């Protein structure tokens, strides 16, 4: 059965989350592409939606290949950095890896640490304390590292704005290599030009995808940059165009670390990020790293096929828990020096810390929601939310900010006030560049940094209200009302007759799914409720629906849709946004539709 073009009403919102449905138009080329790929028209339509029309490019997307990874030498300043690290390895100089305290930074540190050890170098790592030291390089830590005998410092996932710390290293005669992917001062992202030249630290080399002649993959994460640098150092040490066998084996293992950083940092899963995620997820299961095995075991994932959900929402929070609740050194130890017994011990402790983090997060979220109600931030008068609380834990406010964005679909900044200072973390919505918004209000802040969708800041207590007012004013002037309406992007219209086990398996080939490569959502129009909806789940929060279209019948599950129970009745015509999935029960396989939203046609 061929796909049919159905007229869409993009202004109508769904019943579940007031989302505006954006349904992709049917591309007439889908049938021809499907024939060439020997696939369904649905898969062909989804590939066209993702910008792939050439059969060769489509097959390359459907089957990622390590050969698609870009040459490390294309990364700005990487060759010079690799040469200096190789020299330090040969000369037995003490190298210190200085990394950020989040998953991207920790996995990047682990990649560089293992690479240098594999190549015979002397290496240590340093992770700053999230609360006591804050994000990025700090002058006191750099001075201490220099005084303790380091001859070379390599930053991971931070440092591109560290002007003063770089001077400290330079004055002490210690070489500093910065590897980062965050925005630097003097860079205009929209026009892709540098205004009056970038303002950069005085370092031996700054390895950054957007410097000079930009790298082909501008959305690579910090761990990805570290992976490329480790690869580059391996090439220098081998003296050829291939790394040694031992280094090759390590790089294959390191894909799992790079995938964790890539997925946790929520960079788009396209280009080589997709390749790193694809092979890294496979590598997690077979990893030889003690820490990875213990982490998987403590999460109860032994023997399971791991996907982006497991990496981003099960494993990554455990690694992050160390830095959020205490010191990220534990997570770094888990992925570097820990033997099997120590890895198990640390993994269990991180699991406990993650549970504690979840409890504090729930309490903070409750308090934040109370503030929203008191301040009226949920109203149309405000196009952003800025909250602060005495005693809030700085390690959880970023997660709570994400929860607030999910609920209100407004940029949100949460500030933990302690001892006269506020440490803040923000999350944004599409179209509102958070790092630039903080820069516009920078006169009220002690420091700030980040990127489009997430950023951090530090503010004096007495400057919080002026900052809040300035940020809200900036948001009100910058954000258009339409940006505050959440969108549900739907790939194509399909009939119940299209829903089959073969289609589900085809759609799986589009994975791994994540930011920039979302799970496919299909639109089923003109369905009839074949029976009354049933409440399911312990508290009846979910609905089970039975629908028909012509001769085809199908069961649907709508999670969190219990509130719609009284609005749906047998015989009603409805439109559904769905994800088809395979349901296995008592050895019987059937196709079930996971409902993402419901519309009642006018």
């Amino acid at each position: 059965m061929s796909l049919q073009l159905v007229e869409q009403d993009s202004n109508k919102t769904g019943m579940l989350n007031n989302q505006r449905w954006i349904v992709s138009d049917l591309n007439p080329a889908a049938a021809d592409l499907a024939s060439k790929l020997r696939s369904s028209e649905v898969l062909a339509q989804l590939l066209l939606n993702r910008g792939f029309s050439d059969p060769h490019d489509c097959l390359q997307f459907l089957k990622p290949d390590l050969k698609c990874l870009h040459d490390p030498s294309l990364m700005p300043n990487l060759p010079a950095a690799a040469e200096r690290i190789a020299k330090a390895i040969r000369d037995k100089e003490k190298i210190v890896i200085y990394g950020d305290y989040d998953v991207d930074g920790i996995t990047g540190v682990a990649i560089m640490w293992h690479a240098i050890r594999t190549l015979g170098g002397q290496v240590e790592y340093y992770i700053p304390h999230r609360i006591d030291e804050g994000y990025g390089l700090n002058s006191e830590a750099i001075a201490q590292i220099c005084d303790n005998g380091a001859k070379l410092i390599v930053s991971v996932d931070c440092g591109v704005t560290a002007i003063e710390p770089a001077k400290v290293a330079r004055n002490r005669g210690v070489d500093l290599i910065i590897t980062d992917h965050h925005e630097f001062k003097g860079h205009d992202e929209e026009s892709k030009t540098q205004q009056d030249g970038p303002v950069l630290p005085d370092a031996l080399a700054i390895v950054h995808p957007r410097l000079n002649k930009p790298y082909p993959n501008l959305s690579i994460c910090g761990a990805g940059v570290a992976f490329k640098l480790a690869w580059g150092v391996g090439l220098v040490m081998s003296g050829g165009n291939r790394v040694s066998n031992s280094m090759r084996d390590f790089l294959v293992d390191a894909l799992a670390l790079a995938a964790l950083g890539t997925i946790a940092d929520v960079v788009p899963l396209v280009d080589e990020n997709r390749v790193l995620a694809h092979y890294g997820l496979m590598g997690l299961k077979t990893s030889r790293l003690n820490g990875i095995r213990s982490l998987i075991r403590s999460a109860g994932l032994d023997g399971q096929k791991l996907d982006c959900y497991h990496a981003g929402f099960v494993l990554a929070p455990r690694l992050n828990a160390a830095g959020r609740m205490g010191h990220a050194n534990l997570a770094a130890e888990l992925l570097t020096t820990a033997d099997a017994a120590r890895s198990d011990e640390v993994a269990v402790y991180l699991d406990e810390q993650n549970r504690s983090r979840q409890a504090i997060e729930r309490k903070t979220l409750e308090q934040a929601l109370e503030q929203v109600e008191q301040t009226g931030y949920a109203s149309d008068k405000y196009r952003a939310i800025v909250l602060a609380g005495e005693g809030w834990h700085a390690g959880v406010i970023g997660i709570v900010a994400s929860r607030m964005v999910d609920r209100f679909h407004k940029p949100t900044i949460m500030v933990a006030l302690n001892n006269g200072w506020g440490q803040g973390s923000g999350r944004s919505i599409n179209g509102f560049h958070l790092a630039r918004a903080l820069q516009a209000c920078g006169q009220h802040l002690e420091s700030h940094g980040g990127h489009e969708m997430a950023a951090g800041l530090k503010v004096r207590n007495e400057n919080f209200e002026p900052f809040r007012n300035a940020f809200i004013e900036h948001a009100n002037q910058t954000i258009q009302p339409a940006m505050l309406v959440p969108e549900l992007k739907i790939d194509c219209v399909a009939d119940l007759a299209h829903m089959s086990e073969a289609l589900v398996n085809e759609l799986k080939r589009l994975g791994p799914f994540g930011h920039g490569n979302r799970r496919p959502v299909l639109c089923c129009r003109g369905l009839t409720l074949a029976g009354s909806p049933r409440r399911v789940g312990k508290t009846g929060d979910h609905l089970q629906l039975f629908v028909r279209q012509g001769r085809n019948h199908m069961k649907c599950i709508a999670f969190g849709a219990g509130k719609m129970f009284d609005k749906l009745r047998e015989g009603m015509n409805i439109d559904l946004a769905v994800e088809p999935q395979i349901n296995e029960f008592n050895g019987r396989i059937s196709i079930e539709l996971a409902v993402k939203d419901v519309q009642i046609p006018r």
Side-chain angles (χ1 to χ4, degrees), residues 371-558:
Q371 280 197 37
V372 168
E373 186 174 347
Q374 293 166 0
T375 57
Y377 276 139
S379 73
D380 294 339
K381 179 181 177 181
Y382 302 99
R383 297 180 184 176
I385 296 172
V386 183
L387 306 174
E390 287 284 350
W392 278 353
H393 197 298
V396 305
I397 54 176
I399 304 175
V400 176
S402 293
R403 301 283 185 267
M404 300 292 283
V405 172
D406 290 341
R407 182 165 305 206
F408 298 103
H409 202 67
K410 296 181 179 182
T412 300
I413 290 179
M414 301 279 294
V415 179
L417 301 175
N418 294 282
N419 300 320
W421 287 91
Q423 186 168 333
S425 186
R427 299 293 184 269
S428 193
I429 60 173
N430 287 332
F432 184 73
H433 200 295
L434 192 56
R436 290 198 202 125
L438 292 182
Q439 189 169 356
C441 309
Q443 70 270 29
H444 305 296
L445 302 174
E446 295 301 307
S447 62
H448 58 87
H451 45 79
E452 183 174 0
M453 301 302 290
L457 61 91
K458 191 172 184 181
V459 60
R460 294 182 183 273
N461 279 19
E462 60 269 23
N463 291 333
F464 172 72
E465 283 300 332
F467 163 70
R468 172 164 35 194
N469 295 334
F471 189 88
I472 295 292
E473 182 180 357
H474 177 80
N476 284 349
Q477 293 176 351
T478 306
I479 297 174
Q480 300 302 313
M483 295 166 60
L484 300 177
V485 180
E487 294 179 348
L488 177 61
K489 295 185 177 179
I490 300 176
D491 288 278
C492 73
V493 176
D495 294 332
L496 291 188
H498 290 107
M499 308 302 173
S500 64
E501 183 179 351
L503 175 64
V504 174
N505 289 328
E506 271 192 329
L507 298 185
K508 286 180 180 178
R509 298 176 66 194
L510 295 168
F513 301 112
H515 180 56
N517 186 39
R518 55 186 173 78
R519 288 185 173 277
V521 178
L522 308 180
C523 177
C524 293
R525 298 282 191 188
L527 305 180
T528 301
L529 276 175
S532 298
R534 292 176 50 196
R535 288 185 180 272
V536 294
K538 292 182 179 179
T539 58
D541 289 338
H542 317 305
L543 287 185
Q544 189 178 76
L545 308 175
F546 294 89
V547 297
R548 70 171 184 266
Q549 187 181 52
R551 297 180 179 180
N552 297 289
H553 294 72
M554 199 156 288
K555 183 172 72 173
C556 310
I557 181 71

Side-chain angles (χ1 to χ4, degrees), residues 121-165:
Q122 298 180 8
V123 61
E124 297 177 2
Y125 61 81
Y126 183 91
I127 310 288
H129 192 284
R130 178 189 291 265
I131 297 175
D132 295 343
E133 298 177 85
Y135 168 78
L137 305 182
N138 70 80
S139 296
E140 290 183 10
I142 293 297
Q144 180 183 348
I145 291 170
C146 293
D147 293 344
N148 287 342
K151 298 300 181 183
L152 175 64
I153 300 172
V154 182
S155 81
V156 171
D157 193 36
C158 60
V160 76
T161 61
I163 306 298
E164 293 305 318

Side-chain angles (χ1 to χ4, degrees), residues 40 304 474 600:
S40 69
Q304 294 191 35
H474 177 80
I600 299 177

Side-chain angles (χ1 to χ4, degrees), residues 161-437:
T161 61
I163 306 298
E164 293 305 318
K167 291 179 182 178
V168 172
R170 175 70 69 183
N171 291 338
R172 281 170 163 74
V174 175
D175 286 338
L176 171 65
I177 292 172
I178 291 172
T179 77
D180 204 347
H181 69 119
H182 295 97
E183 286 204 5
F184 49 86
K185 297 177 181 178
H187 187 252
D188 183 340
E189 191 68 22
E190 291 180 353
S191 64
K192 307 295 181 186
T193 60
Q194 294 169 3
Q195 305 297 320
D196 301 323
V199 180
L200 299 171
D202 183 13
L204 177 77
I206 300 178
V207 182
H208 193 293
R210 295 187 186 92
L211 280 175
N212 307 326
K213 183 180 179 181
Y215 184 64
N217 175 19
L218 295 180
S219 61
I220 192 169
C221 71
V225 175
F227 180 85
K228 289 307 182 79
L229 180 55
W231 184 358
V233 176
L235 290 171
V236 173
M237 293 294 291
S238 72
N241 57 6
R242 292 186 179 183
V243 299
S244 65
N245 290 336
S246 61
M247 190 62 182
R248 181 189 179 280
D249 290 343
F250 161 70
L251 288 173
V252 171
D253 271 349
L255 287 168
L257 294 169
L260 276 176
T262 296
I263 295 165
D265 215 47
V266 201
V267 295
L269 295 185
V270 296
D271 197 77
E272 68 178 347
N273 292 344
R274 173 177 168 78
V275 178
L276 293 172
H278 175 83
Y279 284 95
L281 286 169
M282 291 194 298
L284 280 172
K285 194 173 180 180
T286 58
S287 176
R288 293 181 292 177
L289 294 177
N290 292 320
I292 293 291
R293 292 200 299 266
S294 296
L295 193 67
I296 291 172
R297 192 159 47 245
S298 71
L301 297 177
D302 253 350
Q304 294 191 35
K305 183 178 180 180
L306 303 180
D307 59 21
C308 283
Y309 172 80
H310 298 114
F313 295 97
V314 181
L315 301 179
R318 284 166 166 77
L319 289 173
N320 259 332
R324 293 189 186 281
M325 305 305 296
H327 202 300
N329 270 340
L330 268 180
E333 179 188 355
L334 178 71
L335 299 181
T336 54
T337 61
D339 59 20
R342 176 60 176 161
S343 290
D344 286 343
E345 180 184 339
V346 172
V348 170
Y349 178 74
L350 291 183
D351 183 58
E352 295 170 352
Q353 289 289 89
N354 192 48
R355 295 178 192 274
S356 176
R357 186 269 305 169
Q358 290 170 332
I360 294 174
E361 177 192 327
R362 284 192 294 269
K363 182 178 179 181
T364 307
L365 178 59
E366 291 174 3
Q367 295 172 345
L369 292 173
E370 289 176 4
Q371 280 197 37
V372 168
E373 186 174 347
Q374 293 166 0
T375 57
Y377 276 139
S379 73
D380 294 339
K381 179 181 177 181
Y382 302 99
R383 297 180 184 176
I385 296 172
V386 183
L387 306 174
E390 287 284 350
W392 278 353
H393 197 298
V396 305
I397 54 176
I399 304 175
V400 176
S402 293
R403 301 283 185 267
M404 300 292 283
V405 172
D406 290 341
R407 182 165 305 206
F408 298 103
H409 202 67
K410 296 181 179 182
T412 300
I413 290 179
M414 301 279 294
V415 179
L417 301 175
N418 294 282
N419 300 320
W421 287 91
Q423 186 168 333
S425 186
R427 299 293 184 269
S428 193
I429 60 173
N430 287 332
F432 184 73
H433 200 295
L434 192 56
R436 290 198 202 125

Side-chain angles (χ1 to χ4, degrees), residues 58-121:
C58 290
L59 292 173
Q60 195 171 73
F61 180 83
L62 293 171
K63 191 175 181 180
D65 194 323
L66 287 172
K67 294 179 182 177
C68 295
L69 292 176
H70 300 305
D71 189 322
S73 66
L74 297 176
M75 182 77 69
N77 304 319
L78 188 147
E83 289 283 357
R84 178 63 183 91
I85 295 172
K87 180 179 184 302
I89 292 172
R90 295 191 191 101
D91 295 347
K92 302 298 181 183
E93 294 179 326
K94 180 179 177 181
I95 305 169
V96 175
I97 312 299
Y98 189 119
D100 190 21
Y101 42 64
D102 67 0
V103 175
D104 191 19
I106 292 165
T107 52
V109 165
I111 289 170
M112 288 305 303
W113 186 89
H114 282 289
I116 292 170
R117 294 266 296 189
T118 298
L119 294 167

